[in-house]
Amino acid sequence: MGGYGAVGVITEVELDLEDNVKIERHIEELRLSAYPNYFARHVLVSTSPGFFNATSSTILLKKAPFTEVDVARFIDSTTKVKGGTVRHAWTDQDGQHPVHQVIALGKEALERWYGEYPFNVRAVTDDSPFFWHFVRFRDVLADSVHVGVPGPEEGNGERLLLLLLGVATAFAAVVLLAPLLAIREVWGAIPHKADAGVYFAALGAGFMFLEISLIQQLTLFLGYPTYSLTVTLFALLVSTGLGSLLSERYGARRNAAIVALGAGLLVLVVCYARGLTPLVARGVGWPLGVRVMVAVTLLAPLGLCLGGFMPLGLRTVAAATRHGEEFVAWGWAVNGFFSVVSSVLATILSMTIGFRLVMLSAVGLYLLGIAALLRIPAPGPVLRNGTTVATGTIP
């Protein structure tokens, strides 16, 4: 095992295990105008040479204000470290260092400083918890950031994500376009391909945006990423399956049903965007079984809603042409293509704008898809044997 390129072998280890202790969360509100003075008295910062010519930071925090004796000991200890420099210790500050700039600048000046600084050093939040995302994607594409030190600061992770997006797009495109060669004789006779393509693409991308955002939103609530992945996928897959089954009851009223589903989705996602953070703060200490049941209960309405979109679209394209089987297969392919690509794209966007905006953008995609589907003539009523009665002229 090892880290930072080092490799070692552990031949013997002795561990003293302690019982788990539940920590109570305590929040103290503080006026923004009082924060600089609070920070100055409760935080000490120094830097020293680290691995691979990088810089290591030492940050001390104390609930009670640091005393003059504490500060003097901190300064003395820092000077004993080769290359150690005090960056923030009461009035002993390095005025030009980025640490001091972040602490001392006002809101507007700080925003300008963040924009001009070559790296992304904004505070990490639960909405975008990417601790090693230092290089902006636009800088990676422009290849404009070089610090001379191989590592995360060079944007290797961001480059890998962009490469993965390109590979996923290429492979998915081949899988999507290759089957069209088999139906090229009937392809030209299929109507409404553009509107159907927009609809199924919106469903694929929107669903992945929601799924990945909710997995992240529930990670802290459920305790571990694996718990969140398992519970979220279980809840959404089961509930969307039930939603697809229930769509048979309202499939004959397509236009009214699709608008109602869109309105319901909008309400649900807005509720998640505004309500999940308070829920996590309140319920993070509940027993695991209770948290799992709460998460499943919260996600079930969303799944029931999402499950109705795909059957409505498939029934529509199946009844729009005598080549219904080919049209349905193509709709599935478009949906699958954008699902694969959007699984990577959702991560890139969340690193840029945050999971909450990614989740809200999913609603916009669904509404775009609904508008496209409404331009395709609605199918006729469904007979008892499941056959859809076509209306109008079938090309």
Side-chain angles (χ1 to χ4, degrees), residues 210-251:
L210 287 172
E211 183 179 77
I212 291 177
S213 298
L214 288 169
I215 289 173
Q216 167 57 31
Q217 294 274 340
L218 293 173
T219 295
L220 183 59
F221 180 65
L222 293 172
Y224 295 95
T226 51
Y227 289 174
S228 182
L229 176 66
T230 304
V231 172
T232 303
L233 289 181
F234 167 79
L236 286 180
L237 292 178
V238 171
S239 57
T240 51
L242 293 174
S244 297
L245 183 64
L246 293 174
S247 68
E248 295 181 357
R249 299 187 176 186
Y250 51 78

Side-chain angles (χ1 to χ4, degrees), residues 128-378:
S128 187
F130 301 97
F131 294 92
W132 289 102
H133 177 42
F134 297 121
V135 181
R136 303 173 183 89
F137 284 101
R138 65 173 182 267
D139 294 329
V140 172
L141 292 173
D143 197 29
S144 61
V145 175
H146 296 282
V147 296
V149 181
E153 293 83 0
E154 284 281 4
N156 295 334
E158 289 80 2
R159 288 187 178 90
L160 182 60
L161 272 176
L162 292 175
L163 176 63
L164 182 59
L165 178 63
V167 171
T169 302
F171 273 92
V174 170
V175 174
L176 170 64
L177 298 177
L180 295 181
L181 297 176
I183 62 170
R184 58 184 179 275
E185 295 180 357
V186 301
W187 178 245
I190 296 178
H192 310 295
K193 292 187 288 290
D195 289 331
V198 170
Y199 180 75
F200 290 112
L203 264 57
F207 186 89
M208 292 307 300
F209 282 13
L210 287 172
E211 183 179 77
I212 291 177
S213 298
L214 288 169
I215 289 173
Q216 167 57 31
Q217 294 274 340
L218 293 173
T219 295
L220 183 59
F221 180 65
L222 293 172
Y224 295 95
T226 51
Y227 289 174
S228 182
L229 176 66
T230 304
V231 172
T232 303
L233 289 181
F234 167 79
L236 286 180
L237 292 178
V238 171
S239 57
T240 51
L242 293 174
S244 297
L245 183 64
L246 293 174
S247 68
E248 295 181 357
R249 299 187 176 186
Y250 51 78
R253 305 182 302 276
R254 190 206 67 176
N255 289 353
I258 201 74
V259 171
L261 288 174
L265 177 62
L266 176 61
V267 172
L268 286 170
V269 171
V270 170
C271 289
Y272 293 149
R274 296 182 62 87
L276 281 180
T277 299
L279 173 67
V280 169
R282 185 175 183 84
V284 69
W286 295 345
L288 177 60
V290 174
R291 284 179 279 143
V292 169
M293 291 302 298
V294 170
V296 171
T297 302
L298 285 172
L299 295 175
L302 178 65
L304 292 174
C305 179
L306 295 177
F309 286 100
M310 195 68 175
L312 291 176
L314 293 177
R315 292 192 189 102
T316 297
V317 299
T321 174
R322 63 172 59 93
H323 305 293
E325 291 186 2
E326 292 85 351
F327 208 176
V328 167
W330 181 78
W332 274 111
V334 172
N335 181 266
F337 169 82
F338 280 90
S339 295
V340 171
V341 172
S342 296
S343 62
V344 183
L345 183 60
T347 301
I348 294 175
L349 289 176
S350 64
M351 296 172 68
T352 306
I353 62 176
F355 282 105
R356 182 174 299 179
L357 287 180
V358 171
M359 185 165 56
L360 292 173
S361 67
V363 179
L365 289 172
Y366 270 90
L367 295 178
L368 177 64
I370 290 172
L373 187 69
L374 290 175
R375 289 194 292 267
I376 304 176

